[in-house]
């Protein structure tokens, strides 16, 4: 049995076609197109008509591609753009027409729980307590769960790598004062979050995956400090060339690092880069529902 998930986020639209193999989720096809819906939302308050057309075309192509793989279920999910854009209703309508399936606008809580499920499922051994932080373009979720109960603590913040970049880190590269102001805003935004102690912590999302190319898979204080220095030492295009990162991702990398660093300080343990997250969590839920039907 195969399922398809189209994930419409602030940075990109992504496709995952997956199946269960040996009790584990196995990807069959993955695709991505970077649209920058979150940039429109920050500049205009809504997704522009041109971006809506581009988004609809990409989702139509992904839906056709997933059906060509013989999927039994397809789900389209929208994260922060569906919650933050002034024309979210029109956005959802375009998506539903393009994919020919109902569209689900994920709440911040849904987003966190799916990210947790997708990241946790990839581990060979679950620790007694696990934290998963998912940094998107428009929001950030922190979830802590146990190996027996799943998620037990969740916080979401309307601040992501795209939002923070456009608000305080517009220069390329940003100077030290701008980075300091951005760090202060991050601390102010998440100051009320006092997570329970955890044995292990995972970081999912595009910022974490990009940092794997810069400092490796473990993101402790030293690695994050170094990554911030590197990502602000020159123009984003130069950083992108040096580390093989998409230029748009390199552009928002300092903001994502500041958010990750603030979260890591609260969790105390180093973050580990997770290659799975939200889409895998949605796919697992679809497969579970289909098996139970």
């Amino acid at each position: 049995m195969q399922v398809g998930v189209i994930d419409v986020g602030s940075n990109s639209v992504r496709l995952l076609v997956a199946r269960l193999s040996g009790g584990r989720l196995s990807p069959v096809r993955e695709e991505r197109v970077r649209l920058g819906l979150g940039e429109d939302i920050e500049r205009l308050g809504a997704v522009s008509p041109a971006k809506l057309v581009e988004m609809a075309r990409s989702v139509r192509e992904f839906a056709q591609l997933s059906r060509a793989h013989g999927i039994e279920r397809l789900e389209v999910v929208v994260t922060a753009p569906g919650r933050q854009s002034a024309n979210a209703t029109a956005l959802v309508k375009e998506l539903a027409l393009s994919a020919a399936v109902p569209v689900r606008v994920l709440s911040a809580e849904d987003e966190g729980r799916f990210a947790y499920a997708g990241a946790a499922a990839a581990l060979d051994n679950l620790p007694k307590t696990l934290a998963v932080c998912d940094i998107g373009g428009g929001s950030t979720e922190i979830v802590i769960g146990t190996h027996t109960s799943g998620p037990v603590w969740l916080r979401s913040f309307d601040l992501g790598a795209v939002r923070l970049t456009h608000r305080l880190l517009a220069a390329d590269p940003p100077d030290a004062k701008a980075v300091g102001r951005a760090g202060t805003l991050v601390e102010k935004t998440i100051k009320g979050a006092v997570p329970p102690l955890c044995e292990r912590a995972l970081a999912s999302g595009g910022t974490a995956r990009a940092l794997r190319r810069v400092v490796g898979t473990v993101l402790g204080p030293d690695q994050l400090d170094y990554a911030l220095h590197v990502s602000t030492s020159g123009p984003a295009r130069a950083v992108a060339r040096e580390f093989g990162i998409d230029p748009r991702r390199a552009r928002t990398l300092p903001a994502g690092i500041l958010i990750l660093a603030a979260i890591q300080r609260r969790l105390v343990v180093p973050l580990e880069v997770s290659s799975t997250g939200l889409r895998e969590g949605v796919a697992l839920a679809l497969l579970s529902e289909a098996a139970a039907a």
Side-chain angles (χ1 to χ4, degrees), residues 83 106-113 139 141 154 156-158:
R83 303 191 297 265
L106 298 181
S107 67
E109 290 74 20
D110 288 337
E111 192 172 347
R113 290 179 184 279
S139 69
E141 284 72 42
L154 188 154
S156 178
F157 310 95
D158 274 342

Side-chain angles (χ1 to χ4, degrees), residues 157-173:
F157 310 95
D158 274 342
L159 189 67
V162 172
R163 280 201 147 187
L164 184 59
T165 298
H166 276 261
R167 292 180 181 185
L168 291 174
L169 299 171
D172 182 21

Side-chain angles (χ1 to χ4, degrees), residues 116 119-130 146-148 199-200:
Y116 180 92
L123 297 179
D124 292 327
N125 296 296
L126 276 176
K128 289 184 179 179
T129 52
L130 174 70
T146 70
H147 70 295
T148 55
E199 292 183 7
R200 193 172 177 185

Side-chain angles (χ1 to χ4, degrees), residues 8-13 33-48 51-52 54-55 78-87 91 136-139 158-167 248-249 252:
V8 181
S10 296
N11 278 308
S12 307
V13 176
V33 58
R34 191 176 294 278
L35 294 182
L37 302 184
E39 296 172 10
D40 270 16
I41 294 170
E42 282 302 299
R43 289 188 299 106
L44 309 171
V47 178
S48 67
K51 285 287 187 183
L52 286 177
E54 192 177 355
M55 175 199 71
V78 188
T79 56
R83 303 191 297 265
Q84 297 171 350
S85 179
N87 62 344
L91 183 150
S139 69
D158 274 342
L159 189 67
V162 172
R163 280 201 147 187
L164 184 59
T165 298
H166 276 261
R167 292 180 181 185
R248 285 191 182 181
R249 175 64 66 188
T252 63

Side-chain angles (χ1 to χ4, degrees), residues 189-263:
T189 301
I190 70 173
K191 68 178 181 180
V194 184
L197 293 175
C198 60
E199 292 183 7
R200 193 172 177 185
L202 305 178
S204 66
T207 294
R209 289 190 297 271
L211 284 176
R212 184 167 47 199
R213 293 176 174 267
V214 180
V215 292
T217 59
V218 177
L219 307 177
D222 292 343
Q223 290 85 359
L224 289 166
D225 284 346
Y226 175 73
L228 183 61
H229 168 72
V230 168
S231 66
T232 57
S233 62
R237 287 195 174 277
V239 175
R241 283 195 303 270
E242 182 176 355
F243 296 102
I245 301 169
D246 184 281
R248 285 191 182 181
R249 175 64 66 188
R251 185 71 185 81
T252 63
L253 198 56
I257 294 168
L258 288 170
I259 297 171
L260 277 174
I263 293 171

